[in-house]
Each structure stands twice: as structure tokens, then as C-alpha cells.
Amino acid sequence: MDSSRSKMRLLSLGAFFLSTSSALPNGLYSRQVDDAPEYTALGCFVDTGSRVLPSKVISTHDMTAEKCAANCRGYDYFGTQWSSECYCGSNKPTDAAPASECNMPCSGNPDETCGAGMRLNVYEFDRACDSDTEEPPVAISGFEYKGCYTDNVPQRVLGGITVAQHDMTLEKCAATCTAGGYAFFGVEYGTECFCGTSLDAASTKVSEGECSMTCMGNHSQQCGGPNRLNIYEKPNPVGAGSNLESVGDFHYASCWTDKVDDRSLKAVDWSTDDMTVEKCADRCSEFSYFGLEYSRECYCGNELIGQAAPEKDCAMLCVGAPGQWCGGPDRMNLYTKATSTSVTTSAEVTTPVETETDTPTITPEPETTTAPTEPETTTSDIPVSTTELPSSTESSTTTTQGPELTTITDCPPTPTYNGNPEYCYVSGGLPAACRQLASTTLNSRSVGPSMSACKTALTRYGMPTNPAATACFPTTALPAVPSSALARSVADSVYACLHAPTASVICQSDSACATNTYTVGQVPSPTPSTGVDLLKGDGGFEDGTLGDWVLGSSTHLVSTTISNARPKSGSQGLLMRYLSVNGGGNTLTYNLPVVPGQQYRFSLSFQHTNPSSATSLYLYVYPDVLQTSFTEAQLNGAPANVWGTREITFTAKASWVQLVLNVGGNVGGTNDVYIDDITFVRLT
């Protein structure tokens, strides 16, 4: 049954007190009307910045469990927090808290508790009587519903155009993708729409409960979830796009990487709303290369940097010719006048290979007068420019009818993270709750709670559920007070299992060498890995939006807007206005991948307007659980209307981070906190 679409029998809003109430263990209870169970209270649970119940959030001055239940119709769980807030979701919260920590009365009924700060009173809907009321997926004309699927960041599983609208509906997304010539569309995170000619094989189908967010433009429709897509497909799609084998003097080479702040082709940057391969080729006819990107962009040049990328990364259709490929985000379909040549021999060279930086790119003559054919999409086909190679590489050179070629083998000096698994911790860097299992202070009373805390920690801060890791934990409960020998044995077994490769929790490293072939004198410079802002401008808010930052729900406590009033640089910045509510606060979160074991810096610039207000500005980094010190976070010690900085420098203990920015306070008057130039830079 699609539980996120199930209809439920709810109590009327006026009937808070129940005709019957059946006692359940551990203080839980079930609400009933005419013996028909409706929902059950599960207790008090810990919330997080990314929200354990992330959907259909509301805040009202008359909040009760009844009102929240009505709001969350169609979900499996709902929870109340901070007296007046309501959250919905289809995944059961797992991090239980003592009942005493949910101690704030509901704003609509002081005899009922509605959580507290980052604490939820959680309820589960009873589905027993709803099995015959399942609703089918919403039908969209011309498309068939395929299910809930995983997405991938940054290379999306639907590689076509992307739009985000605060009034997103299934119909709007379908219309956008149909107009662009795409056979697939997918909706995600309530507001996002993705198009594609095919669904990447890396995407897997998951339960409908993981696509639990409603569309912001129509709350009766489902619009995916965090990193989850509701996918629709045309039943009889027309053929996908293609690359032209040749156009003018150019022939197709490869899908190629690009960067907004360091273009692979720098001579010409041109964009038009009727872009085609032919138009770009004509504009770049005097150059050696041209590339098409993001459906409507054209780039030309005689020198090329970057590297070949998988063809599936170039999955956006040209706006002027839907049958042609026009790159993708940070990817271009590259065309070249160069002739393809292959290497036939190799030999080890023990000295550095040097190249001349002022030598112009050579365009070799074709071997025959016949029309060129589509070359193999390898880096040996694309001559590029560089400066010098390190002495730790191997190289060979050979001469054929084409240009002189060199083969470069690069081996990392130490084992490095190989990308597997995607979400992982360095050895010895598991969450503190898991490391406690190996502690000599662990006793028979604490082993059960420690295992529960460890299991919960492995699914927090954006890390998805890992069934292999879950299997490390015993399925049967330990005795309330197990023997010391049993407690130690179980704890050691779980800890050892989590470190085993089969659990997919510990990051894997290797020293595999990479071998590539290039034209002599045109070896590409390595892509810089340090000193680059990994937020790619999203910390400057120059497009007038929050970008990939996710805003918390407590906007009635701290309002958040993009403002041009006081940017530190550029024309836009972030304004978080503390509204002088005692204990009020709100957060922004941002998840992104990192290289385990490397050092990073998270920093921002800020200024505020009211030093008398007891306002704080905290930076957090998860899952390492790092934060700004209490003293540094207090803004009443910082002068008004003067730019200051906050930063955290750390060594990553996992393959991803969740950056959190929090503004809050304890009365003292309204305070405008301006934030700009947020950066996240790899230092080593």
C-alpha cells in the first residue's frame, strides 16, 4: 500500500477528548472513535537540523495534536514541536529522548505537550482500517508513473534541464520537460523539476515512503524528497538526442568537463535561446575547438583544459534543436579540428617530462582527404596545454602519421579514498556513540543504550540508511542487565562488524595508478583540489535564491531573506532577522561530499545592527559535531554595522559533511544579522 497517499479517519478538530482510550506499554496510548483506532503517541524524540519529519511543516498559534494530524493527512507519522510547530513524514524517527524533554505546552491546548527545542512529540497513524482506501499515483496526461527513485548529486540521474519553483506541481514539471523534448520528468524536494531522455542506471527504485514531500503548488501531489525523485516517463518516447559526427571543419570528440570559475574554453562565451550545434560551429569557425553546454551556451578556444567525462553526463538537449546534445551542468559536448591518433608503444621514463607553456596548440593535418569519422572519445584525441609534470610519473613518446604523443602514468604517493562507499567514516572515526562500544568504561547497563545510540548516529546528518550496517546489530533485545561477559562480547561483535568491508561504513582507499595519453606539449594541467571554494558561489546568493542551502522551518522566530541592502561583495547577501522571541532560532543546512582525512575551512562574513540583543551566530559541521564556541557565537560582543568573520577549520572524518548555520537569541530586541561570502575550502 502507498502509505503516503492513504486516506485516514481523523477525529474532528473539536473532539480532542476521546470517547475511549486504550493503555499501551511504556506510557504510549491510542486515540479511538467508535473503536476505530486513529493514531498512537510514540513518545518524545530528538529532531535535527535536516528534520527527521521533513514534510508539510506548519506553525500556528492554536497547535494541538489534532490539528497536526489533520495537516499530515496522507503521511505515516507526525510530530509537534516548540508549542506551535507541526512536522510530517513517512519514516519513523529513531532517536528517542526522555519524556521529560518534551515539556512545552501546546499553543492550542495547555494541557497537552507539543515537544520543545529540537524535541518532537511523535505520533503514528493507524493504517489497520485504511487498506481499502489506497489512492493511485496522480495521472499526468502523456506520461506513466514509474515510482520513487534515488537521485545523485552533483551529476543528476535525469541529466536534462532543471527548474525550481515555489509553486511546483506535476503538471508544471511535465509541461517544462515536454517543451524541451524530454521523455522523462522527475520531481524532488517539493519544488524541484528534472528532465531527461533516460534514467541513469545508477538510480535505484525505493519505497514510496521515501518520496514523502508534497508539491508546494499542490499539496495533494507527491514531489519526491531529499535526494529522491517521483519519476514519470512517456510510454512511447521519440529517439533521444545525438552528436553530429562532423559539422564544417569540426568533428565530435567527447563529453568534457568545465568549471564556471575556470572555463575549459576561454576565448568566446556566447549564449542564445535557439542554440544548435551548427550555430556554435559557425560562431567558433576561426578556433580549434568549440563546446556546447547547458542547452544554450557556446564556448570557443584554441587552448583546452579539463578532461573527458562520461557521455551520460552530457544529457541536455539543445534549445534550438531538441534532437542534438548540448552538454549539461559543468559539462560540454566538445568538437575539435584535431585528428585522432593512437599510441602503439610505451616505455618508462625516470626523469621529469617538461613542456613549453608558450608553445601554441598544434592542429595536425588530416591523414586523408575523406570526411572525418567520429573518433574514440579518449583523452588521446584532444591536444591540450600545460606547464610541467611531476617526476613521479611515467611517460613514453612515439611518432606516427599524426602528432607526437606521450603516455602519462600517475600514481598517488599514499593510499587515497577511492569513492567507496559513498557515505563512510575513516577508520577510528566512527560517531562517538559507536566508539563508545570499544570503550573500557562500557558496562552491562550501558551497552544497550550505547548500541541504540550508535545505530541512530549512523543515519543522521544526511547519511542514508545502510542495511548492511544495520545488520551488525542484534535483532533480539539484551536482558535489562546482561552479564559483563555478554555485554562485552556483544559490544565487541558490533564494533568489529561495523569495521568489516561488508558493512560499507569504513571508507576504502587504494593506490591505483591512472594512465592517459596526450599530444606532446599539450598535457592538461591537473585540476586543482585545494584552495577552491566547494560551494561554487552558493555562499554569495548572487542569483537571488538560497541555492542548495535548506532553510529550517522556524521562520516565525528568525525570518530569512535574500537582500541587496548590505552585501559584503556582489549585489546580494543573506539577511536573518532575529524577532526577539525567547529561545528562538532558525538554521540553514548544506550537504556536500568531501575527501576523508583532508583539512577544510568553513567560513563566512557577518554584521549585525543591535548589540543590545542577546543574539548568537553558530557554525556547525556534522557528522564531526564541531561548532563555534559559546563565547565566539554571542553577537552582543561584536560592534554594530561592522563586518566580522566566523570560521571552523577541521579534518574530515567522513566522506561528506553537513554545514549548519544557526541564528538565534534570548530576547533583547530585534536584530538584523547580515551574512555573505560563505565559503567551504579544502586546505590539504
PDB file of all heavy atoms in Angstrom, residues 551-573:
ATOM      1  N   LEU A 551      16.534  25.763   4.242  1.00  0.00           N
ATOM      2  CA  LEU A 551      16.117  26.621   5.349  1.00  0.00           C
ATOM      3  C   LEU A 551      15.260  25.849   6.329  1.00  0.00           C
ATOM      4  O   LEU A 551      14.367  25.092   5.940  1.00  0.00           O
ATOM      5  CB  LEU A 551      15.334  27.820   4.796  1.00  0.00           C
ATOM      6  CG  LEU A 551      14.770  28.829   5.810  1.00  0.00           C
ATOM      7  CD1 LEU A 551      15.896  29.505   6.576  1.00  0.00           C
ATOM      8  CD2 LEU A 551      13.900  29.858   5.095  1.00  0.00           C
ATOM      9  N   GLY A 552      15.523  26.038   7.627  1.00  0.00           N
ATOM     10  CA  GLY A 552      14.692  25.429   8.658  1.00  0.00           C
ATOM     11  C   GLY A 552      13.310  26.048   8.690  1.00  0.00           C
ATOM     12  O   GLY A 552      13.020  27.041   7.998  1.00  0.00           O
ATOM     13  N   SER A 553      12.451  25.497   9.515  1.00  0.00           N
ATOM     14  CA  SER A 553      11.031  25.876   9.499  1.00  0.00           C
ATOM     15  C   SER A 553      10.673  27.016  10.447  1.00  0.00           C
ATOM     16  O   SER A 553       9.566  27.536  10.387  1.00  0.00           O
ATOM     17  CB  SER A 553      10.180  24.658   9.864  1.00  0.00           C
ATOM     18  OG  SER A 553      10.491  24.231  11.183  1.00  0.00           O
ATOM     19  N   SER A 554      11.585  27.411  11.319  1.00  0.00           N
ATOM     20  CA  SER A 554      11.223  28.373  12.370  1.00  0.00           C
ATOM     21  C   SER A 554      11.332  29.806  11.875  1.00  0.00           C
ATOM     22  O   SER A 554      11.992  30.663  12.482  1.00  0.00           O
ATOM     23  CB  SER A 554      12.115  28.152  13.601  1.00  0.00           C
ATOM     24  OG  SER A 554      11.950  26.852  14.114  1.00  0.00           O
ATOM     25  N   THR A 555      10.660  30.094  10.744  1.00  0.00           N
ATOM     26  CA  THR A 555      10.732  31.436  10.170  1.00  0.00           C
ATOM     27  C   THR A 555       9.946  32.452  10.987  1.00  0.00           C
ATOM     28  O   THR A 555      10.104  33.659  10.785  1.00  0.00           O
ATOM     29  CB  THR A 555      10.204  31.414   8.732  1.00  0.00           C
ATOM     30  OG1 THR A 555       8.892  30.820   8.732  1.00  0.00           O
ATOM     31  CG2 THR A 555      11.110  30.590   7.829  1.00  0.00           C
ATOM     32  N   HIS A 556       9.089  31.983  11.898  1.00  0.00           N
ATOM     33  CA  HIS A 556       8.372  32.914  12.773  1.00  0.00           C
ATOM     34  C   HIS A 556       9.260  33.369  13.929  1.00  0.00           C
ATOM     35  O   HIS A 556       8.915  34.301  14.651  1.00  0.00           O
ATOM     36  CB  HIS A 556       7.110  32.257  13.326  1.00  0.00           C
ATOM     37  CG  HIS A 556       7.385  31.037  14.147  1.00  0.00           C
ATOM     38  ND1 HIS A 556       7.935  29.893  13.604  1.00  0.00           N
ATOM     39  CD2 HIS A 556       7.196  30.774  15.470  1.00  0.00           C
ATOM     40  CE1 HIS A 556       8.055  28.981  14.551  1.00  0.00           C
ATOM     41  NE2 HIS A 556       7.628  29.485  15.691  1.00  0.00           N
ATOM     42  N   LEU A 557      10.403  32.710  14.091  1.00  0.00           N
ATOM     43  CA  LEU A 557      11.348  33.086  15.141  1.00  0.00           C
ATOM     44  C   LEU A 557      12.517  33.889  14.571  1.00  0.00           C
ATOM     45  O   LEU A 557      12.981  34.845  15.185  1.00  0.00           O
ATOM     46  CB  LEU A 557      11.874  31.835  15.841  1.00  0.00           C
ATOM     47  CG  LEU A 557      10.816  30.902  16.437  1.00  0.00           C
ATOM     48  CD1 LEU A 557      11.461  29.626  16.952  1.00  0.00           C
ATOM     49  CD2 LEU A 557      10.060  31.609  17.547  1.00  0.00           C
ATOM     50  N   VAL A 558      12.993  33.457  13.398  1.00  0.00           N
ATOM     51  CA  VAL A 558      14.057  34.164  12.681  1.00  0.00           C
ATOM     52  C   VAL A 558      13.670  34.177  11.206  1.00  0.00           C
ATOM     53  O   VAL A 558      13.671  33.131  10.552  1.00  0.00           O
ATOM     54  CB  VAL A 558      15.424  33.478  12.863  1.00  0.00           C
ATOM     55  CG1 VAL A 558      16.485  34.190  12.026  1.00  0.00           C
ATOM     56  CG2 VAL A 558      15.842  33.474  14.328  1.00  0.00           C
ATOM     57  N   SER A 559      13.303  35.342  10.685  1.00  0.00           N
ATOM     58  CA  SER A 559      12.953  35.430   9.272  1.00  0.00           C
ATOM     59  C   SER A 559      14.228  35.443   8.437  1.00  0.00           C
ATOM     60  O   SER A 559      15.260  35.979   8.853  1.00  0.00           O
ATOM     61  CB  SER A 559      12.120  36.675   9.001  1.00  0.00           C
ATOM     62  OG  SER A 559      12.900  37.849   9.213  1.00  0.00           O
ATOM     63  N   THR A 560      14.177  34.838   7.256  1.00  0.00           N
ATOM     64  CA  THR A 560      15.358  34.709   6.402  1.00  0.00           C
ATOM     65  C   THR A 560      15.011  35.130   4.982  1.00  0.00           C
ATOM     66  O   THR A 560      14.070  34.599   4.383  1.00  0.00           O
ATOM     67  CB  THR A 560      15.868  33.261   6.404  1.00  0.00           C
ATOM     68  OG1 THR A 560      16.155  32.864   7.753  1.00  0.00           O
ATOM     69  CG2 THR A 560      17.140  33.126   5.585  1.00  0.00           C
ATOM     70  N   THR A 561      15.762  36.086   4.433  1.00  0.00           N
ATOM     71  CA  THR A 561      15.519  36.573   3.081  1.00  0.00           C
ATOM     72  C   THR A 561      16.849  36.854   2.388  1.00  0.00           C
ATOM     73  O   THR A 561      17.885  37.033   3.037  1.00  0.00           O
ATOM     74  CB  THR A 561      14.684  37.875   3.088  1.00  0.00           C
ATOM     75  OG1 THR A 561      15.366  38.867   3.886  1.00  0.00           O
ATOM     76  CG2 THR A 561      13.305  37.641   3.653  1.00  0.00           C
ATOM     77  N   ILE A 562      16.806  36.862   1.049  1.00  0.00           N
ATOM     78  CA  ILE A 562      17.941  37.344   0.265  1.00  0.00           C
ATOM     79  C   ILE A 562      17.764  38.848   0.109  1.00  0.00           C
ATOM     80  O   ILE A 562      16.693  39.324  -0.273  1.00  0.00           O
ATOM     81  CB  ILE A 562      17.997  36.665  -1.116  1.00  0.00           C
ATOM     82  CG1 ILE A 562      18.044  35.149  -0.947  1.00  0.00           C
ATOM     83  CG2 ILE A 562      19.212  37.148  -1.890  1.00  0.00           C
ATOM     84  CD1 ILE A 562      19.230  34.645  -0.171  1.00  0.00           C
ATOM     85  N   SER A 563      18.806  39.608   0.415  1.00  0.00           N
ATOM     86  CA  SER A 563      18.671  41.063   0.478  1.00  0.00           C
ATOM     87  C   SER A 563      19.830  41.741  -0.266  1.00  0.00           C
ATOM     88  O   SER A 563      20.964  41.265  -0.242  1.00  0.00           O
ATOM     89  CB  SER A 563      18.661  41.519   1.945  1.00  0.00           C
ATOM     90  OG  SER A 563      18.770  42.921   2.049  1.00  0.00           O
ATOM     91  N   ASN A 564      19.501  42.871  -0.912  1.00  0.00           N
ATOM     92  CA  ASN A 564      20.540  43.688  -1.544  1.00  0.00           C
ATOM     93  C   ASN A 564      20.898  44.901  -0.697  1.00  0.00           C
ATOM     94  O   ASN A 564      21.550  45.831  -1.165  1.00  0.00           O
ATOM     95  CB  ASN A 564      20.094  44.134  -2.937  1.00  0.00           C
ATOM     96  CG  ASN A 564      18.817  44.962  -2.903  1.00  0.00           C
ATOM     97  OD1 ASN A 564      18.315  45.309  -1.836  1.00  0.00           O
ATOM     98  ND2 ASN A 564      18.268  45.272  -4.074  1.00  0.00           N
ATOM     99  N   ALA A 565      20.460  44.865   0.576  1.00  0.00           N
ATOM    100  CA  ALA A 565      20.668  46.029   1.441  1.00  0.00           C
ATOM    101  C   ALA A 565      22.128  46.196   1.843  1.00  0.00           C
ATOM    102  O   ALA A 565      22.670  47.303   1.780  1.00  0.00           O
ATOM    103  CB  ALA A 565      19.790  45.923   2.686  1.00  0.00           C
ATOM    104  N   ARG A 566      22.806  45.102   2.259  1.00  0.00           N
ATOM    105  CA  ARG A 566      24.173  45.233   2.760  1.00  0.00           C
ATOM    106  C   ARG A 566      25.051  44.064   2.309  1.00  0.00           C
ATOM    107  O   ARG A 566      25.632  43.367   3.152  1.00  0.00           O
ATOM    108  CB  ARG A 566      24.185  45.298   4.284  1.00  0.00           C
ATOM    109  CG  ARG A 566      23.470  46.487   4.883  1.00  0.00           C
ATOM    110  CD  ARG A 566      23.732  46.550   6.380  1.00  0.00           C
ATOM    111  NE  ARG A 566      22.990  47.605   7.019  1.00  0.00           N
ATOM    112  CZ  ARG A 566      23.119  47.950   8.295  1.00  0.00           C
ATOM    113  NH1 ARG A 566      23.978  47.298   9.065  1.00  0.00           N
ATOM    114  NH2 ARG A 566      22.381  48.923   8.815  1.00  0.00           N
ATOM    115  N   PRO A 567      25.190  43.812   1.042  1.00  0.00           N
ATOM    116  CA  PRO A 567      26.114  42.739   0.630  1.00  0.00           C
ATOM    117  C   PRO A 567      27.559  43.143   0.898  1.00  0.00           C
ATOM    118  O   PRO A 567      27.923  44.310   0.736  1.00  0.00           O
ATOM    119  CB  PRO A 567      25.842  42.600  -0.868  1.00  0.00           C
ATOM    120  CG  PRO A 567      25.372  43.959  -1.286  1.00  0.00           C
ATOM    121  CD  PRO A 567      24.581  44.490  -0.116  1.00  0.00           C
ATOM    122  N   LYS A 568      28.354  42.183   1.330  1.00  0.00           N
ATOM    123  CA  LYS A 568      29.779  42.473   1.527  1.00  0.00           C
ATOM    124  C   LYS A 568      30.505  42.513   0.191  1.00  0.00           C
ATOM    125  O   LYS A 568      31.443  43.270  -0.013  1.00  0.00           O
ATOM    126  CB  LYS A 568      30.432  41.434   2.433  1.00  0.00           C
ATOM    127  CG  LYS A 568      31.891  41.759   2.801  1.00  0.00           C
ATOM    128  CD  LYS A 568      32.422  40.759   3.806  1.00  0.00           C
ATOM    129  CE  LYS A 568      33.808  41.192   4.295  1.00  0.00           C
ATOM    130  NZ  LYS A 568      34.800  41.165   3.223  1.00  0.00           N
ATOM    131  N   SER A 569      30.056  41.648  -0.724  1.00  0.00           N
ATOM    132  CA  SER A 569      30.584  41.647  -2.080  1.00  0.00           C
ATOM    133  C   SER A 569      29.435  41.310  -3.016  1.00  0.00           C
ATOM    134  O   SER A 569      28.421  40.751  -2.596  1.00  0.00           O
ATOM    135  CB  SER A 569      31.719  40.626  -2.236  1.00  0.00           C
ATOM    136  OG  SER A 569      31.246  39.316  -1.981  1.00  0.00           O
ATOM    137  N   GLY A 570      29.570  41.648  -4.282  1.00  0.00           N
ATOM    138  CA  GLY A 570      28.492  41.406  -5.225  1.00  0.00           C
ATOM    139  C   GLY A 570      27.299  42.298  -4.923  1.00  0.00           C
ATOM    140  O   GLY A 570      27.430  43.388  -4.363  1.00  0.00           O
ATOM    141  N   SER A 571      26.094  41.805  -5.290  1.00  0.00           N
ATOM    142  CA  SER A 571      24.893  42.624  -5.143  1.00  0.00           C
ATOM    143  C   SER A 571      23.853  42.023  -4.206  1.00  0.00           C
ATOM    144  O   SER A 571      22.843  42.657  -3.931  1.00  0.00           O
ATOM    145  CB  SER A 571      24.242  42.839  -6.519  1.00  0.00           C
ATOM    146  OG  SER A 571      23.876  41.589  -7.097  1.00  0.00           O
ATOM    147  N   GLN A 572      24.077  40.780  -3.717  1.00  0.00           N
ATOM    148  CA  GLN A 572      23.096  40.122  -2.866  1.00  0.00           C
ATOM    149  C   GLN A 572      23.780  39.515  -1.646  1.00  0.00           C
ATOM    150  O   GLN A 572      24.957  39.173  -1.692  1.00  0.00           O
ATOM    151  CB  GLN A 572      22.361  39.010  -3.632  1.00  0.00           C
ATOM    152  CG  GLN A 572      21.643  39.458  -4.896  1.00  0.00           C
ATOM    153  CD  GLN A 572      20.352  40.192  -4.613  1.00  0.00           C
ATOM    154  OE1 GLN A 572      19.831  40.136  -3.504  1.00  0.00           O
ATOM    155  NE2 GLN A 572      19.835  40.896  -5.611  1.00  0.00           N
ATOM    156  N   GLY A 573      23.032  39.384  -0.575  1.00  0.00           N
ATOM    157  CA  GLY A 573      23.512  38.735   0.637  1.00  0.00           C
ATOM    158  C   GLY A 573      22.341  38.125   1.386  1.00  0.00           C
ATOM    159  O   GLY A 573      21.185  38.203   0.946  1.00  0.00           O
TER     160      GLY A 573
END
